[in-house]
Amino acid sequence: MALLDKTLQDSRAYIALARLGTSVGGKVDNLVVKKRLKEICLKQLKSHQSNRGEGATLFPVKDGRLFNAWAKIESKTGSLTEAKSILEKGIMLYPNDYTLFQAAGNIEERLGNNTAARDLYSASLHIKPSAPTLVAYAMLEMRSPLNGKKSNTTMARKLFQEALLIEPKHAPAYNAYANLERRLGNIDMAHKLYQDGINANCTDPSSVYHGLAKLYLSLGEVEQARSILQKGLQLFKTHDNDSFVKRNDNVAFIAHTLGMIELNCNNNAKVAKDVFNQGLWHCRSSSPLLLGVAQCESRLGNEQNARDTFEQAIKADESHAQAWQAFGVMEMRAGNYRSAKTLFECGLKNSPNHGALWQAYGELTLVLTIFYLVPVSYILT
């Protein structure tokens, strides 16, 4: 693969090349993408060093997008220290790329280095004010304020307001700002902010529709929430034969919440399954959505389909305790106690602090002890 074609000037073209041919079953192979991104980033560093600091201008890429993409893959796998190192290299080559400073601030925050995160967010804003950085800075002030005592809501509000002035179609800013007001008990203000976000026709409106629906649910207004989620989901197309329809991972939140309303509040497993599948079209490896489909199949009496989908949910995220629990409960109710025991134990191995999973395991033990009147270890060995 010719990743060093000198005619390419846009880093997005390199990222497209890195992803080319890596999709298997609709899912990108991030290991291959990471290897390709690492290759080109290291060549940029080598070019920079050999040209005594002028490599970034001689090399046919004008920003740090490639370093950002590489670091993002590392951070998703939990390799935060490696992601930090990658971003530091990118900043050395592209000191005027504000997105690198923002990403580095996020990594420092996740590592617990709040002072460093604050400095990096400030540096990013000094280069170029942007809504994502302002929102990240506001969230930091709410979680870990500078005085270390209580959330700095006054500063957070100012940062959110500035973000919306700069980018009035930035949905995460509306969502985060509204969430702040909701937590403070300012329900009318929160409702107004969510509605403003919807009316602004944001570039990615899923978060504001989902946020408004969650507000209605917190007030017990289930049908209002259902209506909002349906409207939000209708904005995102799902056509299996149309390769030009853009997939959007954030749709998973809308589909999951709406699907659970249909399943648990309206007791309509068939409709719920359709909703979950619509979300899966956009986010094929979503463990919560796969779990939703599996629960629908179980409710509809399709146990083998349920088993297959439970396995997909667990494969997508082995730490998803609810998937292990629901799968085990289904097997326990079917009388497959050994399978249930294995599922509960595997779930607890991956999520040892999940209370509901321990409770289900305890119920299995109790049922066997009471009804079989023999030691559980004898029955299950």
Side-chain angles (χ1 to χ4, degrees), residues 164-244:
L164 291 173
L165 282 173
I166 294 171
E167 296 183 42
K169 291 182 177 292
H170 189 69
Y174 288 102
N175 191 47
Y177 191 1
N179 282 338
L180 168 63
E181 298 297 349
R182 178 179 58 82
R183 286 194 295 271
L184 293 173
N186 303 324
I187 302 301
D188 290 341
M189 183 61 180
H191 184 278
K192 180 181 183 302
L193 286 165
Y194 286 128
Q195 197 62 57
D196 286 347
I198 290 173
N199 295 337
N201 294 317
C202 297
T203 50
D204 182 8
S206 56
S207 62
V208 286
Y209 277 93
H210 187 255
L212 181 55
K214 296 289 280 186
L215 175 65
Y216 281 131
L217 287 174
S218 71
L219 299 173
E221 299 176 11
V222 177
E223 281 306 309
Q224 283 276 47
R226 180 170 174 264
S227 176
I228 287 294
L229 291 167
Q230 287 174 332
K231 290 177 182 177
L233 199 57
Q234 287 172 1
L235 298 176
F236 300 93
K237 297 179 181 179
T238 54
H239 297 299
D240 289 334
N241 296 323
D242 190 346
S243 60
F244 296 102

XYZ file of all heavy atoms in Angstrom, residues 164-244:
641
model
N -21.780 27.112 22.629
C -22.950 27.259 21.762
C -22.887 28.526 20.917
O -23.475 28.571 19.831
C -24.225 27.247 22.608
C -24.539 25.891 23.254
C -25.718 26.000 24.210
C -24.819 24.836 22.181
N -22.183 29.546 21.397
C -21.970 30.733 20.574
C -21.056 30.418 19.395
O -21.273 30.893 18.280
C -21.365 31.860 21.419
C -22.319 32.629 22.334
C -21.525 33.587 23.219
C -23.345 33.397 21.505
N -20.026 29.621 19.646
C -19.064 29.273 18.596
C -19.666 28.293 17.604
O -19.530 28.445 16.388
C -17.785 28.677 19.221
C -17.052 29.746 20.041
C -16.854 28.126 18.149
C -15.905 29.197 20.851
N -20.345 27.264 18.128
C -20.924 26.222 17.275
C -22.373 25.973 17.715
O -22.639 25.084 18.517
C -20.104 24.935 17.373
C -18.678 25.062 16.866
C -17.926 23.752 16.901
O -18.525 22.716 16.530
O -16.756 23.749 17.317
N -23.314 26.755 17.184
C -24.720 26.636 17.613
C -25.400 25.341 17.199
O -26.539 25.089 17.598
C -25.394 27.838 16.943
C -24.498 28.227 15.820
C -23.111 27.880 16.241
N -24.720 24.479 16.439
C -25.276 23.187 16.061
C -24.537 22.028 16.732
O -24.618 20.882 16.290
C -25.226 23.003 14.535
C -26.178 23.903 13.767
C -26.089 23.628 12.272
C -27.083 24.475 11.496
N -28.489 24.096 11.756
N -23.827 22.326 17.821
C -23.038 21.298 18.513
C -23.909 20.607 19.565
O -24.079 21.098 20.679
C -21.802 21.922 19.160
C -20.836 20.911 19.702
N -20.099 20.074 18.896
C -20.476 20.607 20.975
C -19.333 19.299 19.635
N -19.548 19.606 20.903
N -24.473 19.460 19.210
C -25.426 18.767 20.074
C -24.864 18.401 21.454
O -25.572 18.549 22.458
C -25.944 17.515 19.367
N -23.621 17.900 21.561
C -23.114 17.560 22.895
C -23.107 18.732 23.864
O -23.248 18.530 25.078
C -21.682 17.063 22.607
C -21.745 16.523 21.220
C -22.684 17.453 20.510
N -22.947 19.966 23.350
C -22.962 21.132 24.227
C -24.369 21.345 24.804
O -24.530 21.592 26.008
C -22.511 22.378 23.470
N -25.404 21.248 23.961
C -26.779 21.348 24.456
C -27.055 20.248 25.484
O -27.646 20.500 26.547
C -27.777 21.204 23.305
C -27.854 22.373 22.362
C -27.237 22.335 21.122
C -28.575 23.521 22.709
C -27.315 23.408 20.237
C -28.667 24.596 21.829
C -28.025 24.537 20.597
O -28.118 25.600 19.732
N -26.627 19.035 25.153
C -26.913 17.888 26.012
C -26.236 18.025 27.371
O -26.862 17.831 28.425
C -26.458 16.602 25.315
C -26.958 15.359 26.014
O -28.132 15.257 26.357
N -26.060 14.416 26.248
N -24.948 18.367 27.363
C -24.208 18.490 28.620
C -24.731 19.649 29.464
O -24.863 19.531 30.692
C -22.718 18.678 28.322
N -25.037 20.758 28.824
C -25.556 21.928 29.532
C -26.917 21.602 30.152
O -27.189 21.906 31.333
C -25.660 23.098 28.547
C -25.927 24.455 29.149
C -26.045 24.664 30.523
C -26.081 25.578 28.311
C -26.295 25.923 31.048
C -26.323 26.841 28.844
C -26.440 27.006 30.205
O -26.691 28.253 30.722
N -27.770 20.953 29.375
C -29.099 20.580 29.879
C -28.992 19.573 31.021
O -29.755 19.643 31.998
C -29.947 20.010 28.748
N -28.056 18.629 30.907
C -27.859 17.652 31.980
C -27.453 18.342 33.276
O -27.873 17.938 34.372
C -26.803 16.630 31.583
C -27.340 15.586 30.623
O -28.545 15.364 30.550
N -26.457 14.937 29.891
N -26.605 19.364 33.159
C -26.205 20.127 34.336
C -27.432 20.750 35.005
O -27.614 20.633 36.231
C -25.205 21.218 33.942
C -24.907 22.294 35.001
C -24.264 21.670 36.232
C -24.018 23.395 34.413
N -28.265 21.404 34.224
C -29.449 22.061 34.780
C -30.434 21.040 35.363
O -31.056 21.281 36.411
C -30.132 22.908 33.712
C -29.280 24.045 33.152
C -28.897 25.080 34.196
O -29.453 25.055 35.321
O -28.026 25.921 33.903
N -30.542 19.897 34.709
C -31.447 18.844 35.224
C -30.974 18.354 36.590
O -31.781 18.189 37.518
C -31.504 17.676 34.235
C -32.376 16.518 34.705
C -32.412 15.399 33.674
N -31.087 14.887 33.381
C -30.445 13.991 34.140
N -31.002 13.538 35.252
N -29.253 13.557 33.794
N -29.666 18.125 36.725
C -29.137 17.656 38.010
C -29.314 18.698 39.110
O -29.434 18.352 40.286
C -27.662 17.289 37.872
C -27.421 15.984 37.129
C -26.000 15.504 37.313
N -25.043 16.410 36.713
C -24.626 16.335 35.456
N -25.102 15.386 34.662
N -23.738 17.185 34.979
N -29.319 19.975 38.726
C -29.506 21.048 39.707
C -30.981 21.295 40.019
O -31.311 22.161 40.838
C -28.868 22.345 39.182
C -27.331 22.331 39.067
C -26.839 23.601 38.385
C -26.682 22.176 40.441
N -31.862 20.545 39.351
C -33.293 20.680 39.600
C -33.980 21.740 38.767
O -35.176 22.016 38.974
N -33.249 22.315 37.816
C -33.830 23.351 36.949
C -34.471 22.687 35.724
O -33.952 22.756 34.604
C -32.751 24.355 36.524
C -32.079 24.998 37.722
O -32.718 25.268 38.729
N -30.777 25.249 37.608
N -35.594 22.036 35.955
C -36.219 21.200 34.924
C -36.650 22.022 33.709
O -36.446 21.613 32.554
C -37.422 20.435 35.505
C -36.981 19.565 36.695
C -38.071 19.574 34.425
C -35.924 18.555 36.363
N -37.258 23.169 33.954
C -37.735 23.995 32.835
C -36.563 24.454 31.964
O -36.660 24.453 30.725
C -38.503 25.205 33.352
C -39.843 24.825 33.964
O -40.326 23.716 33.666
O -40.399 25.631 34.732
N -35.468 24.841 32.596
C -34.295 25.272 31.842
C -33.692 24.113 31.055
O -33.302 24.273 29.894
C -33.244 25.857 32.803
C -32.003 26.396 32.111
S -32.413 27.754 30.971
C -30.798 28.168 30.318
N -33.637 22.944 31.686
C -33.112 21.757 31.000
C -33.975 21.431 29.776
O -33.453 21.161 28.686
C -33.072 20.574 31.960
N -35.295 21.469 29.958
C -36.215 21.189 28.844
C -35.996 22.178 27.704
O -35.958 21.801 26.529
C -37.653 21.254 29.339
C -38.669 20.884 28.307
N -39.129 21.770 27.352
C -39.296 19.703 28.045
C -39.992 21.178 26.565
N -40.126 19.909 26.963
N -35.831 23.458 28.042
C -35.615 24.481 27.024
C -34.332 24.222 26.241
O -34.287 24.360 25.008
C -35.558 25.861 27.666
C -35.334 27.009 26.671
C -35.260 28.344 27.359
C -35.101 29.478 26.331
N -33.898 29.315 25.474
N -33.262 23.829 26.945
C -31.979 23.585 26.279
C -32.069 22.383 25.338
O -31.550 22.423 24.212
C -30.884 23.368 27.321
C -30.417 24.634 28.046
C -29.614 24.282 29.293
C -29.576 25.500 27.105
N -32.706 21.315 25.798
C -32.884 20.154 24.917
C -33.693 20.545 23.682
O -33.345 20.170 22.552
C -33.607 19.022 25.655
C -32.768 18.282 26.665
C -33.218 18.103 27.969
C -31.537 17.731 26.314
C -32.467 17.398 28.897
C -30.780 17.026 27.241
C -31.258 16.866 28.526
O -30.520 16.177 29.456
N -34.772 21.288 23.902
C -35.624 21.696 22.781
C -34.884 22.634 21.842
O -35.032 22.550 20.610
C -36.890 22.369 23.312
C -38.003 22.455 22.290
C -38.490 21.095 21.826
O -38.905 20.267 22.619
N -38.413 20.856 20.521
N -34.055 23.519 22.403
C -33.236 24.397 21.561
C -32.289 23.570 20.692
O -32.066 23.895 19.514
C -32.420 25.356 22.431
C -33.274 26.457 23.042
O -34.428 26.628 22.613
O -32.774 27.133 23.959
N -31.739 22.517 21.265
C -30.847 21.644 20.507
C -31.556 20.949 19.367
O -31.027 20.826 18.259
N -32.784 20.517 19.616
C -33.575 19.886 18.552
C -33.917 20.896 17.464
O -33.788 20.609 16.267
C -34.855 19.262 19.156
C -34.489 18.047 20.011
C -35.839 18.871 18.052
C -35.654 17.451 20.779
N -34.326 22.091 17.874
C -34.700 23.130 16.906
C -33.512 23.631 16.091
O -33.677 24.157 14.992
C -35.358 24.310 17.627
C -36.682 23.931 18.260
O -37.325 22.960 17.854
N -37.094 24.679 19.276
N -32.301 23.473 16.637
C -31.092 23.956 15.949
C -30.675 23.047 14.797
O -29.770 23.388 14.041
C -29.945 24.086 16.944
N -31.359 21.886 14.664
C -30.999 20.920 13.607
C -29.511 20.603 13.660
O -28.768 20.794 12.686
C -31.379 21.456 12.225
C -32.873 21.579 12.049
O -33.632 20.689 12.448
N -33.329 22.688 11.475
N -29.067 20.122 14.808
C -27.646 19.820 15.030
C -27.145 18.775 14.039
O -27.908 17.957 13.520
C -27.430 19.314 16.449
S -27.831 20.537 17.716
N -25.850 18.826 13.789
C -25.254 17.897 12.835
C -25.385 16.449 13.309
O -25.491 15.535 12.504
C -23.771 18.240 12.616
O -23.132 18.372 13.899
C -23.624 19.545 11.858
N -25.349 16.213 14.618
C -25.569 14.874 15.173
C -26.584 15.015 16.308
O -26.213 15.169 17.473
C -24.261 14.273 15.688
C -24.463 12.857 16.222
O -25.563 12.309 16.043
O -23.512 12.311 16.817
N -27.873 14.987 15.985
C -28.909 15.320 16.970
C -29.259 14.206 17.950
O -30.097 14.406 18.827
C -30.117 15.642 16.086
C -29.939 14.748 14.898
C -28.442 14.696 14.661
N -28.636 13.039 17.812
C -29.046 11.894 18.633
C -28.958 12.186 20.124
O -29.834 11.785 20.896
C -28.200 10.663 18.291
O -26.820 10.946 18.431
N -27.918 12.915 20.554
C -27.737 13.141 21.989
C -28.823 14.030 22.584
O -29.248 13.819 23.729
C -26.358 13.745 22.267
O -26.206 15.003 21.636
N -29.310 15.027 21.826
C -30.333 15.903 22.392
C -31.698 15.203 22.434
O -32.472 15.398 23.380
C -30.426 17.251 21.640
C -29.250 18.135 21.987
C -30.539 17.070 20.141
N -31.995 14.394 21.429
C -33.237 13.619 21.473
C -33.198 12.632 22.642
O -34.180 12.482 23.380
C -33.450 12.868 20.159
C -34.084 13.706 19.069
C -33.300 14.388 18.152
C -35.465 13.821 18.968
C -33.877 15.169 17.153
C -36.057 14.593 17.974
C -35.259 15.265 17.075
O -35.836 16.040 16.103
N -32.067 11.966 22.799
C -31.935 10.998 23.891
C -31.988 11.701 25.244
O -32.625 11.222 26.188
C -30.624 10.222 23.745
C -30.482 9.098 24.715
N -29.645 9.160 25.806
C -31.097 7.889 24.776
C -29.742 8.028 26.492
N -30.612 7.248 25.894
N -31.327 12.862 25.345
C -31.329 13.608 26.596
C -32.718 14.060 27.000
O -33.115 13.941 28.172
N -33.486 14.583 26.038
C -34.850 15.029 26.333
C -35.723 13.854 26.750
O -36.534 13.959 27.683
C -35.452 15.733 25.117
C -36.878 16.280 25.279
C -36.980 17.218 26.476
C -37.318 16.996 23.997
N -35.536 12.707 26.087
C -36.309 11.517 26.448
C -35.981 11.058 27.870
O -36.878 10.693 28.639
C -36.024 10.385 25.459
N -34.718 11.109 28.239
C -34.320 10.723 29.597
C -34.912 11.688 30.629
O -35.258 11.281 31.741
C -32.796 10.699 29.703
C -32.120 9.656 28.833
C -32.345 8.245 29.340
C -31.419 7.920 30.473
N -31.530 6.494 30.881
N -35.011 12.955 30.255
C -35.646 13.929 31.149
C -37.101 13.551 31.388
O -37.581 13.543 32.540
C -35.544 15.331 30.554
C -36.267 16.445 31.323
C -35.648 16.653 32.696
C -36.238 17.757 30.532
N -37.821 13.220 30.307
C -39.222 12.823 30.447
C -39.344 11.548 31.299
O -40.240 11.427 32.136
C -39.850 12.582 29.076
C -40.252 13.850 28.353
C -39.883 14.077 27.027
C -41.027 14.821 28.986
C -40.258 15.233 26.355
C -41.411 15.982 28.321
C -41.021 16.178 27.018
O -41.404 17.325 26.358
N -38.421 10.597 31.094
C -38.473 9.366 31.878
C -38.259 9.638 33.360
O -38.898 9.015 34.219
C -37.412 8.381 31.371
C -37.697 7.707 30.020
C -36.503 6.877 29.576
C -38.941 6.827 30.118
N -37.368 10.583 33.671
C -37.116 10.922 35.078
C -38.337 11.545 35.731
O -38.486 11.511 36.955
C -35.925 11.884 35.182
O -36.250 13.176 34.684
N -39.216 12.101 34.898
C -40.457 12.706 35.398
C -41.629 11.732 35.336
O -42.755 12.086 35.672
C -40.792 13.958 34.577
C -39.755 15.092 34.620
C -40.130 16.188 33.632
C -39.638 15.661 36.034
N -41.363 10.497 34.885
C -42.412 9.489 34.785
C -43.283 9.612 33.554
O -44.317 8.945 33.461
N -42.882 10.433 32.603
C -43.683 10.653 31.393
C -43.170 9.733 30.268
O -42.478 10.152 29.347
C -43.615 12.125 30.989
C -44.167 13.060 32.060
C -44.021 14.528 31.702
O -43.683 14.824 30.535
O -44.221 15.380 32.592
N -43.538 8.459 30.376
C -42.992 7.427 29.489
C -43.433 7.642 28.045
O -42.631 7.516 27.113
C -43.415 6.025 29.978
C -42.908 4.950 29.012
C -42.872 5.771 31.376
N -44.707 7.957 27.827
C -45.197 8.121 26.453
C -44.560 9.323 25.762
O -44.286 9.286 24.562
C -46.722 8.253 26.446
C -47.442 6.928 26.584
C -46.996 5.911 25.534
O -46.994 6.250 24.340
O -46.637 4.785 25.913
N -44.309 10.402 26.519
C -43.608 11.558 25.952
C -42.198 11.152 25.538
O -41.720 11.533 24.470
C -43.547 12.686 26.990
C -44.854 13.449 27.146
C -44.984 14.553 26.101
O -44.744 14.333 24.917
N -45.358 15.738 26.546
N -41.537 10.390 26.398
C -40.182 9.926 26.093
C -40.189 9.040 24.852
O -39.329 9.174 23.967
C -39.612 9.158 27.286
N -41.164 8.147 24.786
C -41.288 7.239 23.640
C -41.472 8.019 22.344
O -40.844 7.715 21.317
C -42.457 6.295 23.870
C -42.725 5.288 22.763
C -43.760 4.272 23.236
N -44.153 3.373 22.169
C -45.233 3.534 21.405
N -46.015 4.592 21.588
N -45.530 2.656 20.460
N -42.313 9.041 22.382
C -42.569 9.854 21.194
C -41.305 10.574 20.726
O -41.003 10.601 19.520
C -43.674 10.863 21.494
O -43.884 11.731 20.400
N -40.554 11.135 21.657
C -39.319 11.846 21.315
C -38.292 10.897 20.719
O -37.629 11.208 19.716
C -38.746 12.550 22.563
C -39.607 13.764 22.926
C -37.300 12.978 22.337
C -39.574 14.882 21.893
N -38.164 9.716 21.305
C -37.194 8.740 20.808
C -37.570 8.259 19.406
O -36.694 8.049 18.556
C -37.104 7.553 21.770
C -36.462 7.859 23.122
C -36.711 6.716 24.108
C -34.960 8.102 22.962
N -38.863 8.066 19.164
C -39.312 7.659 17.830
C -38.968 8.721 16.793
O -38.496 8.415 15.693
C -40.815 7.391 17.839
C -41.206 6.110 18.555
C -42.715 5.946 18.666
O -43.471 6.922 18.702
N -43.172 4.698 18.740
N -39.178 9.991 17.150
C -38.844 11.082 16.229
C -37.339 11.128 15.982
O -36.889 11.353 14.852
C -39.320 12.412 16.808
C -40.830 12.580 16.828
C -41.232 13.893 17.491
C -42.747 14.039 17.559
N -43.153 15.276 18.273
N -36.559 10.928 17.036
C -35.108 10.946 16.879
C -34.615 9.804 16.010
O -33.760 10.001 15.137
N -35.179 8.609 16.201
C -34.742 7.443 15.433
C -35.103 7.572 13.962
O -34.385 7.077 13.086
C -35.359 6.181 16.035
C -34.702 4.843 15.678
C -33.230 4.837 16.062
C -35.428 3.695 16.360
N -36.211 8.258 13.674
C -36.643 8.438 12.284
C -35.674 9.290 11.463
O -35.701 9.260 10.233
C -38.035 9.069 12.247
C -39.148 8.125 12.663
C -40.490 8.827 12.803
O -40.600 10.041 12.558
N -41.510 8.091 13.209
N -34.816 10.042 12.154
C -33.854 10.901 11.446
C -32.710 10.103 10.818
O -32.008 10.617 9.952
C -33.268 11.935 12.412
C -34.248 12.925 13.039
C -33.509 13.804 14.038
C -34.893 13.786 11.961
N -32.557 8.857 11.257
C -31.399 8.072 10.816
C -31.862 6.910 9.953
O -32.583 6.022 10.407
C -30.621 7.568 12.034
C -30.113 8.674 12.909
C -30.859 9.105 13.993
C -28.915 9.301 12.629
C -30.409 10.129 14.810
C -28.452 10.331 13.431
C -29.198 10.744 14.516
N -31.429 6.927 8.717
C -31.861 5.929 7.751
C -31.162 4.598 8.004
O -30.058 4.534 8.516
C -31.562 6.403 6.331
C -32.310 7.674 5.930
C -31.928 8.092 4.521
C -32.651 9.369 4.105
N -32.274 9.803 2.744
N -31.828 3.527 7.586
C -31.240 2.185 7.650
C -31.630 1.448 6.375
O -32.721 0.899 6.279
C -31.755 1.397 8.867
O -33.191 1.395 8.836
C -31.306 2.031 10.164
N -30.732 1.428 5.404
C -30.993 0.750 4.126
C -29.852 -0.212 3.843
O -28.726 0.195 3.598
C -31.114 1.750 2.979
C -32.267 2.702 3.125
N -33.572 2.282 3.190
C -32.314 4.051 3.226
C -34.374 3.322 3.315
N -33.628 4.415 3.355
N -30.149 -1.497 3.898
C -29.112 -2.515 3.699
C -28.477 -2.442 2.323
O -27.323 -2.807 2.136
C -29.696 -3.920 3.912
C -30.016 -4.173 5.374
O -29.374 -3.532 6.225
O -30.898 -4.997 5.653
N -29.216 -1.969 1.332
C -28.699 -1.947 -0.032
C -28.104 -0.595 -0.427
O -27.747 -0.391 -1.572
C -29.821 -2.312 -1.014
C -30.320 -3.729 -0.803
O -29.532 -4.620 -0.500
N -31.616 -3.938 -0.962
N -28.047 0.332 0.535
C -27.535 1.666 0.225
C -26.230 1.894 0.957
O -26.199 2.197 2.139
C -28.569 2.731 0.630
C -28.193 4.120 0.105
O -27.035 4.279 -0.327
O -29.051 5.014 0.126
N -25.115 1.734 0.249
C -23.799 1.872 0.869
C -23.445 3.321 1.154
O -22.436 3.602 1.788
C -22.722 1.260 -0.048
O -22.717 1.921 -1.305
N -24.269 4.257 0.679
C -23.964 5.669 0.870
C -24.665 6.261 2.100
O -24.495 7.422 2.410
C -24.356 6.463 -0.384
C -23.554 6.078 -1.590
C -24.100 5.243 -2.550
C -22.253 6.520 -1.743
C -23.353 4.871 -3.665
C -21.504 6.154 -2.854
C -22.054 5.327 -3.811
